[in-house]
Amino acid sequence: NLPSQFLTEIDPALIIREKTPDRIGTMYSGRENKPVHSMSLQEQLEKQKRSRYQSSPKNFQVGDRVSHSIFGVGTVLSVTKMANDALIEVGFDQVGTKKLMASHPKIRKM
């Protein structure tokens, strides 16, 4: 990957460059001296996806009332175990039936 064109706008006095085995020119912030590693968009999306779904699995039972930030309130109609997660079918009061992974961050028990 090429360096960002905006790196030239940073005051050189604030940048300390250090050679590392995996990346050359790792930047450090001037104040806290914490590493700032550049990563590709693909790496950023994968990291975000992993962190989003790493929460402990939620245990849903048929009949549980749940809340979803977009679909609203509903009732669990079925639960199908899948590896370390579960596929749940929910009948939402306003939008009908939806199938979601139990680990999805936008759904929670009420």
Side-chain angles (χ1 to χ4, degrees), residues 30-69:
R31 289 187 183 161
E32 299 176 18
N33 208 23
K34 291 183 179 178
V36 180
H37 297 284
S38 64
M39 62 173 78
S40 70
L41 178 60
Q42 187 67 29
E43 290 171 325
Q44 292 174 26
L45 292 173
E46 284 299 318
K47 182 178 178 182
Q48 183 180 23
K49 185 177 176 182
R50 282 192 307 270
S51 66
R52 183 181 297 162
Y53 290 100
Q54 282 182 345
S55 62
S56 59
K58 302 171 196 160
N59 295 317
F60 291 100
Q61 304 292 326
V62 173
D64 284 349
R65 294 290 287 168
V66 296
S67 174
H68 187 280
S69 61

